[in-house]
Structures are given as structure tokens and as C-alpha cells.
Amino acid sequence: MLITPLTDADTNPDASENETAVEVLIENLANENVSVKSEVVRSLVDIGEPAVAPLIQALENDNPDIRKNSAIALGKIGDERAIEPLLDLLDDDNREVRHAAEIALGNIGEESIDLLVSYAKNQDNAVYSRTIAVIVLGEYGEKAVPSLIQLLSDDEYFLLHPDVRSALNKIGDPAVEPLIGLLDSADPDVKSRAIQTLGDIGDDRAIEPLGKVLNDESEQVRDLAKSAIEAIENQSKDENLSLVSYGKTPDFYIEDERWDFLDKLDIIVTASETEMDKYIRPKGPVYGYGYSYYGYISVGIVADSGANESKLNEIYDIFDRHAQEIGVEDVPVMFEYGDVVAGEGQPVAGEGEPVTQKTPGFTGCLPIMVILLLYGKVRTCP
């Protein structure tokens, strides 16, 4: 007599029902309705551990929507088993899938730091996906600093150094002292990278140590130290510039909700162009405007223009009126007061992250814009 081993479904009928439910939910991750996809991800996250293995398997599905939203669900569940499959997804052919894997890895937590570092160091992996691994490390804060410092100190990983600097800049304060420690390096290139990163971060603690390398034997080191000190002093002045926000930025549970809302912001910004013309410098106080990946319209105001609350209300009303025309209530708008560099017409970047340019010289060309450009969501800077 052939004896068939019992499965979980045989001994636990609920297990079979759960497996079926998970399979049906995963199929609906490709639903055309964004709200349905969001609710499906919520349901899978609520199911938790029993959904992990099927979701990992779904990362190999032919449908990019299923791969993308499976990654998002795994990131929210936070199971360590998903780390390596998500790392593999950084090489996916689809941009949105790769971005979803990046977000998911950032959500899982610090348990993935060692794997991310190993992935970034492995030169058999594509450079793009290795840089994404570095970017994700920046989401883990202080605990990722030693690994990032090691990458910054090693010439072998020179292709990653720009993104390592960006990650350390994002971490900010906890990275300052370790970077100051690199100023004692005998390698002028390591010292130079540390100086540039300290200039990026802009912490006053770095001014005195940077002053000590102004007499370094390397001309490159001396010049970079001088520039970094000037950058830090300028950033200290810019901290007095203010941000004024109107409306409410929505919460995005899945990336499809974000892109759906960004499409609406694009419609609003485009519809407002004619009315905004009279507010653009030199006619008015606005040096540029656009919308951010983070889900708000950003308006740059020349700091010494005298623009008051009444003027901001006028500008907000333009965007709000066009927003209501397409059913968007309390459209989020961030006003950023900033200086304009004399003779260049270029505003000094502050905390806002505008991403669509509407006037020459606007700081729409920020790093975050790259993400939107990849998705074809914005126009490029002239």
C-alpha cells in the first residue's frame, strides 16, 4: 500500500484556505484599480508570515505589477527571508520593480546591512544595482555608517563613491565624527572624499578639523578643504530660510498610489502656468515651481522679495482651484524661501525638493528628479 505523507493542508484545513487566499490576492496585485492593489497589499501584510513564501515566489512572476507589489508587501512584512530575493530584484528589467525592491529593502531593517554591503562590493553585479544597494544603506542611519566609511575608504569601489557620499550625507550627524577621522588618512584621495562629504553634510563640527588640513601637502586636499569650509558656513546661513506649507500631503501605502497622485499634481501644475506667469521673477517673487516625488507642489520664493502671507494665499488659490477641478482637496503646496546667486539667476537649494521646472534657473534639476525622469513623469530642465 502506498502511503502519502500528510501535508499541512491535510492536518490543518485553515492552512489550505490561507494558501488559496494568498494565491488569489497575489493575482490581484496586477489589478488595474490602484485602490484594489493597495487593499490587496494590506491584506497580504495582515496575513504576515504565511504569505512570505508565496510572495517570494511571486517575485519571479512574468507580470511586473505582481513583482513590484510583491516586493512592497514583503518589505512591509519585514521577514529576513526576503532580503536575498529582493537583492536579486535590483537587476530586474523593469524600472518600477527595481525601485520597489529598493523601498522594500529599506523597510526590512538593519538585518540586511551585511548582505547589502556584500552585494555592493560584488563586482559581478551590475553597477546600477550595486549603487542602489548603497543608497538603501543610507536609510539605515547610524548602524550603516561603519560599512559606508569602509566603502568610501577603499579605492576598489570608486564607482560607488558618489552614492556612498550621498548615503552618508543622508545619515548626517552620526557620520560626521567618523568622516573627521578620515582626515588623518595618509591617502590624499581618501582624505579628499571625506572632505567633500563633510562639506555636503554641513556640520559646524567639521570646520576646525578642516582648517587643520588647509596646510596639507596636497593641493587638491587644500582646495577641497577651503571649499568645504565655505559650503558649511553658507549652509549655516541658509538654516534661517523658512518653509511654509499649505494643504495636506497624502499617505502612500504603495508606490502606485504615489504615481497616481503625481499624475494629478502634473495636471494641476500644467493648468496653472498661465496664471502663475505674473508671479515669476522679475515680475513677481517666484523663482520657480514644480512638484516633488514626496507628493507636494513646491514653490520657490526669493527670500528678500517681500512676499507675505497674502501673496502666498493668492498663489495657493491658483493651485487649489485647479486641484478641485480634478477632485483633489487640500492640495499640498510647500513654499520655500531661498536666495538667488548673484549674476547667475540660480536659486540656492534649501530643504524643498521641486522636480518639474517651470522657469529657467529653477532648482528642478535635483537628484530626486532622476527618479521621476526614469518613469517619464516630468519634463527635463532646459
Side-chain angles (χ1 to χ4, degrees):
M1 176 184 296
L2 179 64
I3 299 176
T4 304
L6 292 176
T7 65
D8 287 343
D10 295 321
T11 58
N12 182 4
D14 289 340
S16 178
E17 292 177 9
N18 282 340
E19 289 175 11
T20 302
V22 169
E23 290 173 4
V24 172
L25 287 169
I26 288 175
E27 289 176 6
N28 274 290
L29 289 174
N31 195 290
E32 293 183 1
N33 188 310
V34 172
S35 296
V36 170
K37 285 189 280 194
S38 180
E39 286 304 313
V40 168
V41 172
R42 289 179 189 274
S43 297
L44 287 164
V45 173
D46 287 342
I47 291 171
E49 192 277 334
V52 171
L55 282 167
I56 289 175
Q57 185 176 356
L59 297 179
E60 300 178 5
N61 194 284
D62 290 338
N63 190 310
D65 267 359
I66 290 180
R67 298 199 302 277
K68 173 181 66 179
N69 288 307
S70 293
I72 293 295
L74 285 166
K76 292 180 181 296
I77 293 171
D79 194 296
E80 294 179 34
R81 288 175 291 169
I83 294 174
E84 292 198 44
L86 287 169
L87 285 170
D88 291 338
L89 214 61
L90 293 177
D91 275 330
D92 196 274
D93 292 336
N94 185 281
R95 293 186 294 257
E96 294 187 22
V97 173
R98 295 196 299 267
H99 185 52
E102 175 187 348
I103 293 170
L105 286 164
N107 286 337
I108 286 180
E110 59 198 45
E111 295 83 1
S112 61
I113 289 177
D114 289 343
L115 285 172
L116 283 165
V117 172
S118 296
Y119 188 93
K121 288 181 175 180
N122 187 344
Q123 299 190 29
D124 290 335
N125 295 323
V127 174
Y128 172 83
S129 56
R130 291 169 64 204
T131 61
I132 292 299
V134 170
I135 291 169
V136 174
L137 284 170
E139 301 293 330
Y140 294 143
E142 185 172 2
K143 294 196 174 182
V145 169
S147 298
L148 289 167
I149 291 291
Q150 194 276 326
L151 287 171
L152 192 70
S153 304
D154 196 328
D155 289 339
E156 183 179 0
Y157 307 115
F158 70 95
L159 290 174
L160 304 178
H161 288 158
D163 295 286
V164 172
R165 282 178 52 196
S166 294
L168 288 166
N169 184 25
K170 181 178 180 63
I171 293 170
D173 180 80
V176 172
E177 293 298 339
L179 284 165
I180 289 174
L182 291 184
L183 298 182
D184 294 327
S185 172
D187 185 336
D189 290 331
V190 172
K191 195 179 299 186
S192 295
R193 292 192 289 271
I195 291 170
Q196 290 173 299
T197 311
L198 286 167
D200 295 338
I201 295 173
D203 193 297
D204 288 342
R205 287 175 293 168
I207 292 179
E208 183 177 347
L210 286 169
K212 294 178 180 179
V213 297
L214 288 175
N215 296 320
D216 193 272
E217 60 183 22
S218 166
E219 181 180 1
Q220 172 182 278
V221 169
R222 295 195 302 270
D223 289 344
L224 288 173
K226 181 180 177 181
S227 297
I229 291 172
E230 291 174 354
I232 293 170
E233 291 174 344
N234 288 334
Q235 287 185 52
S236 296
K237 295 176 184 177
D238 291 341
E239 286 176 358
N240 295 322
L241 302 178
S242 61
L243 297 171
V244 180
S245 62
Y246 284 64
K248 182 181 179 182
T249 303
D251 294 323
F252 306 113
Y253 194 72
I254 62 174
E255 284 298 283
D256 285 325
E257 291 176 323
R258 184 190 305 278
W259 296 115
D260 188 59
F261 190 69
L262 292 181
D263 283 339
K264 293 176 181 177
L265 291 186
D266 189 55
I267 292 170
I268 296 165
V269 167
T270 301
S272 303
E273 286 186 33
T274 301
E275 294 158 277
M276 282 296 296
D277 182 65
K278 68 179 182 180
Y279 294 99
I280 303 296
R281 60 185 297 268
K283 300 177 186 177
V286 176
Y287 62 69
Y289 62 100
Y291 60 91
S292 165
Y293 168 80
Y294 297 108
Y296 57 82
I297 293 171
S298 182
V299 182
I301 303 290
V302 178
D304 59 359
S305 64
N308 54 21
E309 183 179 355
S310 176
K311 186 67 68 176
L312 299 190
N313 287 341
E314 287 179 26
I315 296 171
Y316 179 77
D317 286 344
I318 293 172
F319 294 118
D320 188 47
R321 184 167 59 255
H322 290 295
Q324 291 188 38
E325 290 172 357
I326 61 172
V328 175
E329 299 292 333
D330 295 323
V331 61
V333 178
M334 182 77 73
F335 292 93
E336 174 190 1
Y337 285 83
D339 291 327
V340 176
V341 179
E344 296 182 8
Q346 296 290 347
V348 177
E351 295 299 322
E353 301 231 344
V355 294
T356 51
Q357 174 163 339
K358 293 299 176 185
T359 60
F362 182 43
T363 52
C365 294
L366 295 175
I368 195 67
M369 186 180 183
V370 174
I371 298 175
L372 292 178
L373 287 173
L374 288 173
Y375 290 83
K377 296 290 184 181
V378 301
R379 288 173 286 281
T380 59
C381 292

